[in-house]
Amino acid sequence: MTILEKVGGFKVINMKEFESLENLWMPFSANRAFKAKPRLMNEAKGVHYKKVNGTLVLDGTSGLWCCNAGHNHPKIVQAIQSQAGKLDYAPSFQMGHPLGFKAAEKLLSFSPSGDFQYVFFTNSGSESVDTALKIALGYQQHRGKKDKKILVGRERAYHGVGFGGISVGGLPLNKKHFSLLNNVDHVVTTHNLEKNAFSRGEPEWGSELADDLYRIIEKYGADRIAAFITEPLAGSTGVLIPPKGYLQKIREICTEHDILLIFDEVITGFGRLGTPFAAQYFDVVPDMIVCAKGLTSGTVPMGAVIVKKEIYDAYQDGDPKVIDLFHGYTYSAHPLAAAALIATLEVYSDEGLFDQAAQMAPYWEDALHSLNELDNVVDIRNLGFVGGIEMSMRNGKIGERGYDVFENAFHEENVLLRFTGDIIALSPPLIAEKHHVDQIIDSLRKIIPLH
Ligand SMILES: Cc1ncc(COP(=O)(O)O)c(C=O)c1O
């Protein structure tokens, strides 16, 4: 069967380009199921994708939590196009180009405190996580805390797919078959359906779970712990909202015990909660911020680690002609990514997109919770412009219902969702309007009980 027959009648696409889907090994995908019944998108604009047959699909997930400014924003497209014609690439080791420095400065203007004065660029969230972990370990050595080598994460956390990220992450399937870093431990998850199901916004119960960090401190001694990394709000692992006061407590414990606090803001950065970072939303300032995705609104791969001056300064203790951090990527601060970053952050500010998301949040919350009584729904959670709908497992198989709802939404309702197991995750572009929210919710009201 050709791909044309599989997707059922192309009107728009040139078939010569799509004779086979076989050669691409798709990431985090059920490759055989996809190839038997593909979901292909060919164009995008604003809050919509266009399927290869020309049908519009409402983007309920900003791509993969990244296209916060909506798709193909003309100012961002223009910036990338003109940069491509001016400087395609410049070496990033021992060399630079002005736009990289400008991009760092621009990004710092979104940071939660003047203490953040340095940016290390990468190409993804995973690379940013591993970079931050390395910077933390090196920092402790530079300041003479030789035993501070333990990294602490949280059960159920997702920190990308590097060996560092899967080690501090808390998802067993992502670790299966792979060797992991030594010197890693995890605090307990904050997710608790019994106590917190159907909470609106931050759950009331659970700030005391932060005390689990004391258990780890007692186990090893604070003088052996380098850093604690956490997603302020976990997205990919099923939209887990921090209990009220949890992050504040974590900050206090880290400060008290001289442990670096790293916020992984790959999903929460750039307006998801109506603020530049979750740090501003929760009024909790970490020591490093990891970001990616919305940094360029998904247009060009880029990630970053935003670092406090004190941390950068600790590395500047040797001979000035010797490399201070033995780490970096060929494409760190790539010119196209730098151009995309600057244009994207300008669009966020000029168009007030973070405020727009903040204003949408109460409507979003009401709309989501209007699904509370649906069959198969065991929890609904929300914060800012993020929503999670947890469904019960079907036939003892995790993810079966989630997959069917996701597939049905795409093929029949023309709405793009995400699913993790049986949890539907939603994060529309920040430009989405009330009628788009209504469309997503109406589709779910129709589909969820069917499965
Ligand atoms: C919190 C968090 N960290 C890291 C990553 C990894 O980012 P990437 O897929 O760009 O490597 C993700 C991706 O979803 C994420 O949600």
Side-chain angles (χ1 to χ4, degrees):
M1 194 193 272
T2 67
I3 179 68
L4 172 60
E5 289 161 319
K6 281 184 193 167
V7 298
F10 282 83
K11 294 187 195 110
V12 188
I13 207 159
N14 173 6
M15 283 315 304
K16 284 264 179 311
E17 294 173 30
F18 284 95
E19 277 311 307
S20 168
L21 299 178
E22 203 43 47
N23 299 128
L24 178 61
W25 189 347
M26 298 165 66
F28 273 123
S29 298
N31 271 262
R32 282 166 297 162
F34 177 92
K35 287 166 190 180
K37 195 173 179 192
R39 296 172 291 275
L40 292 173
M41 293 169 305
N42 204 32
E43 285 179 40
K45 194 165 184 46
V47 295
H48 289 104
Y49 280 108
K50 205 184 252 186
K51 290 183 184 174
V52 288
N53 67 4
T55 309
L56 289 183
V57 174
L58 178 60
D59 184 357
T61 58
S62 301
L64 267 180
W65 309 84
C66 45
C67 307
N68 293 6
H71 296 278
N72 287 25
H73 191 291
K75 284 192 186 149
I76 305 172
V77 172
Q78 163 63 32
I80 299 166
Q81 282 175 337
S82 65
Q83 185 57 36
K86 189 174 164 199
L87 177 69
D88 53 354
Y89 177 75
S92 54
F93 303 169
Q94 309 277 19
M95 295 290 298
H97 62 96
L99 220 53
F101 296 87
K102 193 173 165 198
E105 197 180 324
K106 182 81 192 164
L107 178 53
L108 286 175
S109 70
F110 280 54
S111 72
S113 136
D115 294 341
F116 290 98
Q117 292 190 19
Y118 294 91
V119 174
F120 195 101
F121 282 118
T122 72
N123 309 289
S124 66
S126 299
E127 288 178 358
S128 301
V129 165
D130 281 20
T131 299
L133 298 177
K134 281 182 165 185
I135 290 176
L137 292 172
Y139 166 71
Q140 302 295 9
Q141 296 302 304
H142 275 282
R143 65 197 277 258
K145 305 273 179 174
K146 300 288 179 206
D147 295 327
K148 276 190 170 285
K149 290 181 178 168
I150 292 171
L151 300 167
V152 184
R154 193 169 58 205
E155 289 166 1
R156 265 191 91 147
Y158 182 64
H159 294 297
V161 294
F163 283 101
I166 60 170
S167 301
V168 293
L171 297 175
L173 288 177
N174 290 6
K175 305 180 187 218
K176 205 171 149 185
H177 309 309
F178 309 126
S179 355
L180 301 172
L181 294 187
N182 297 322
N183 295 323
V184 171
D185 210 334
H186 299 84
V187 295
V188 292
T189 178
T190 57
H191 191 45
N192 187 314
L193 278 188
E194 249 170 58
K195 301 273 190 194
N196 288 331
F198 300 104
S199 292
R200 285 172 169 252
E202 294 161 76
E204 294 294 334
W205 178 87
S207 67
E208 57 269 44
L209 295 172
D211 293 341
D212 197 44
L213 191 49
Y214 284 129
R215 176 181 60 83
I216 307 272
I217 292 169
E218 271 164 33
K219 188 169 163 188
Y220 301 100
D223 54 351
R224 292 183 58 208
I225 302 176
F228 176 63
I229 183 166
T230 189
E231 300 153 279
L233 173 155
S236 308
T237 156
V239 183
L240 313 181
I241 318 278
K244 265 186 198 148
Y246 175 86
L247 291 168
Q248 288 80 355
K249 262 194 169 183
I250 288 284
R251 175 67 275 183
E252 282 165 26
I253 299 170
C254 287
T255 305
E256 189 189 335
H257 291 279
D258 189 25
I259 296 168
L260 285 176
L261 176 59
I262 306 170
F263 271 5
D264 181 348
E265 296 233 27
V266 167
I267 273 178
T268 47
F270 309 105
R272 231 351 99 204
L273 302 182
T275 47
F277 290 102
Q280 286 101 335
Y281 183 88
F282 294 109
D283 198 16
V284 175
V285 181
D287 301 303
M288 278 190 256
I289 296 176
V290 165
C291 59
K293 295 193 189 259
L295 180 59
T296 58
S297 197
T299 53
V300 181
M302 189 180 222
V305 184
I306 309 174
V307 177
K308 282 187 173 168
K309 180 176 184 315
E310 185 189 331
I311 296 174
Y312 173 88
D313 283 351
Y315 278 85
Q316 310 308 320
D317 55 354
D319 181 338
K321 286 193 174 171
V322 172
I323 291 167
D324 48 45
L325 172 59
F326 280 83
H327 176 77
Y329 303 96
T330 299
Y331 301 122
S332 285
H334 189 283
L336 296 195
L341 178 158
I342 293 163
T344 301
L345 298 198
E346 278 171 8
V347 164
Y348 290 148
S349 308
D350 295 350
E351 300 186 8
L353 295 188
F354 300 168
D355 285 346
Q356 196 170 319
Q359 280 159 23
M360 184 60 84
Y363 188 84
W364 175 243
E365 176 173 293
D366 286 342
L368 278 168
H369 286 272
S370 74
L371 303 175
N372 283 4
E373 302 303 323
L374 285 190
D375 281 352
N376 310 325
V377 169
V378 297
D379 185 21
I380 294 189
R381 22 189 199 266
N382 68 284
L383 201 70
F385 211 178
V386 184
I389 302 172
E390 182 155 351
M391 301 176 294
S392 53
M393 200 196 308
R394 197 178 66 200
N395 301 330
K397 287 190 186 161
I398 295 180
E400 196 181 77
R401 174 167 281 135
Y403 186 90
D404 287 351
V405 168
F406 157 74
E407 198 183 37
N408 194 338
F410 184 82
H411 288 299
E412 311 299 331
E413 295 295 315
N414 298 309
V415 173
L416 180 65
L417 313 172
R418 279 282 298 149
F419 74 104
T420 300
D422 293 302
I423 303 165
I424 301 294
L426 297 162
S427 55
L430 308 181
I431 57 167
E433 296 177 18
K434 287 182 178 170
H435 64 100
H436 299 123
V437 169
D438 296 344
Q439 189 186 336
I440 295 170
I441 299 298
D442 290 346
S443 300
L444 286 167
R445 184 171 288 112
K446 202 162 131 191
I447 301 171
I448 291 176
L450 297 179
H451 298 280

